[in-house]
């Protein structure tokens, strides 16, 4: 929601999460405890959490970028956080106001506090496949960052194609790199569909054996501090592909499609996904 022009009321954002958890999602990044003057779409994060169902709160994580954000998340009842390190200095300065090394130093403090308080952690390496300001991101640069992360490893590390430039071979190379440096850490893949390669990249991660895949209903997403960044891979498209491949996701696709249509209506925009418009196959009788 952070890249949308419409700022939704906290009660609507909570209903969004409640619908997703009711449809069967077992992990939802529910909100971001960040500065509301920089990201007004994420204002009143505490009110969102307060309006969640008990089931939704149990599956919720939140994004934090500093210790104050972590404290707010803890006080609200969040037990899993996602911290983002942007891998290039220019993008990091635009996104968070400090360079990559400073972000890693902050991560170390966040991680140590989370370990003491038994809060699960994901560390996302944003722009891990390419930067809108500095261009290509080399594997040697990523390796150097991962080596630093190894001193304070997260429970899970997420490789994020923040601006949607990756292709499947890039996905495999970078996931291989993560397991070379941090073999005990779970992996996650975050794909944007800017250049229509998101599902192909998700498939590459799936075959590789990635632990989790990020997606968003209706293909919502993007980054307000990036250039030409569009949404994540649509949840309904990803679920349709997985189910047709024989995976049991435990998620009710029809409810996800309905949720995608509903939330895009609240945002006064059309969904970017394909399945939400084309429907499932075979067609559901009386659906």
């Amino acid at each position: 929601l952070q890249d949308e022009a419409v700022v939704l009321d906290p009660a609507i954002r909570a209903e969004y999460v409640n619908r997703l958890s009711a449809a069967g999602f077992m992990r939802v990044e529910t909100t971001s405890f960040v500065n509301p003057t920089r990201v007004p779409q994420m204002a009143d994060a505490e009110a969102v959490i307060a309006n969640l169902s008990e089931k939704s709160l149990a599956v919720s994580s939140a994004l934090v970028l500093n210790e104050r954000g972590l404290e707010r998340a803890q006080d609200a009842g969040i037990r899993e956080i996602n911290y983002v390190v942007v891998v290039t200095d220019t993008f990091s300065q635009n996104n968070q106001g400090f360079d990559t090394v400073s972000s890693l130093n902050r991560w170390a403090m966040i991680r140590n506090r989370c370990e003491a308080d038994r809060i699960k952690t994901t560390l996302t390496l944003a722009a891990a496949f390419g930067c809108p300001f500095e261009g290509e991101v080399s594997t040697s640069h990523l390796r150097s960052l991962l080596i630093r992360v190894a001193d304070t490893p997260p429970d899970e590390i997420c490789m994020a194609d923040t601006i949607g430039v990756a292709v499947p071979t890039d996905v495999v190379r970078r996931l291989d790199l993560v397991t070379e440096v941090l073999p005990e850490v779970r992996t996650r893949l975050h794909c944007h569909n800017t250049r229509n390669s998101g599902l192909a990249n998700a498939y590459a991660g799936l075959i590789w054996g990635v632990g989790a895949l990020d997606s968003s209903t209706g293909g919502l997403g993007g980054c307000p501090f990036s250039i030409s960044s569009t949404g994540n891979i649509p949840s309904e498209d990803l679920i349709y592909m997985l189910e047709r491949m024989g995976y049991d996701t435990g998620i009710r696709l029809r409810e996800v499609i309905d949720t995608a249509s509903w939330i895009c209506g609240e945002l006064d925009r059309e969904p970017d996904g394909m399945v939400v418009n084309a429907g499932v196959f075979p067609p559901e009788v009386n659906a």
Side-chain angles (χ1 to χ4, degrees):
L1 301 176
Q2 68 175 7
D3 207 29
E4 295 296 323
V6 176
V7 178
L8 297 178
D9 185 84
I12 296 176
R13 283 182 268 157
E15 183 181 352
Y16 186 20
V17 179
N18 288 337
R19 290 187 182 213
L20 294 174
S21 66
F25 284 95
M26 296 304 295
R27 292 176 79 187
V28 181
E29 188 172 287
T30 294
T31 191
S32 300
F33 288 90
V34 293
N35 187 338
T37 60
R38 285 178 60 82
V39 190
Q41 297 89 338
M42 294 293 107
D44 301 312
E46 287 86 353
V48 175
I49 302 301
N51 279 280
L52 295 180
S53 68
E54 184 176 334
K55 179 179 180 181
S56 294
L57 181 59
V59 302
S60 287
S61 71
L63 184 143
V64 303
L65 296 178
N66 52 41
E67 289 187 281
R68 175 57 184 146
L70 175 61
E71 290 168 359
R72 290 176 61 199
Q74 286 180 278
D75 290 345
I78 293 292
R79 304 303 300 169
E80 178 180 344
I81 63 98
N82 179 27
Y83 182 90
V84 176
V85 170
V86 184
V87 305
T88 60
D89 288 335
T90 307
F91 197 175
S92 184
Q93 288 283 1
N94 276 272
N95 192 63
Q96 290 164 246
F98 40 80
D99 63 19
T100 301
V101 169
S102 298
S103 187
L104 284 168
N105 290 337
R106 291 180 181 224
W107 155 249
M109 291 186 290
I110 293 289
R111 183 266 187 187
N112 289 337
R113 287 192 57 173
C114 286
E115 183 179 44
D117 294 336
R118 297 184 179 180
I119 295 174
K120 294 178 182 178
T121 57
T122 291
L123 174 63
T124 293
L125 294 184
F129 297 83
C131 171
F133 306 102
E134 299 184 24
E136 298 285 356
V137 173
S138 68
T139 53
S140 61
H141 176 61
L142 286 175
R143 183 185 296 274
S144 68
L145 297 180
L146 289 166
I147 289 170
R148 289 182 62 106
V149 170
D151 293 332
T152 50
D155 296 308
E156 176 184 72
I157 193 158
C158 177
M159 301 300 280
D161 183 21
T162 308
I163 60 170
V165 295
V167 295
T169 49
D170 297 326
V171 169
V172 172
R173 291 191 191 105
R174 279 158 175 74
L175 290 174
D176 281 345
L177 183 60
V178 171
T179 55
E180 287 172 19
V181 181
L182 295 160
E184 303 301 320
V185 176
R186 295 194 302 271
T187 54
R188 183 163 123 198
L189 182 63
H190 180 96
C191 302
H192 282 250
N193 208 36
T194 311
R195 290 164 178 83
N196 205 32
S197 57
L199 272 183
N201 292 333
Y203 177 76
L206 182 73
I207 298 305
W208 181 88
V210 74
L213 293 166
D214 285 356
S215 65
S216 72
T217 41
L220 300 176
C223 177
F225 307 107
S226 176
I227 301 169
S228 301
S229 176
T230 58
N232 296 81
I233 52 175
S235 299
E236 56 276 11
D237 293 7
L238 178 62
I239 294 161
Y240 174 80
M241 181 183 79
L242 293 173
E243 295 280 352
R244 289 281 290 181
M245 290 173 65
Y247 291 91
D248 182 4
T249 65
I251 299 170
R252 290 177 290 281
L253 179 55
R254 171 54 60 187
E255 293 179 32
V256 179
I257 292 171
D258 291 345
T259 298
S261 297
W262 167 77
I263 194 63
C264 286
E266 294 290 335
L267 294 167
D268 194 26
R269 56 161 290 174
E270 293 296 321
D272 285 339
M274 299 294 185
V275 172
V276 69
N277 294 311
V280 298
F281 182 84
E284 296 176 345
V285 178
N286 299 323

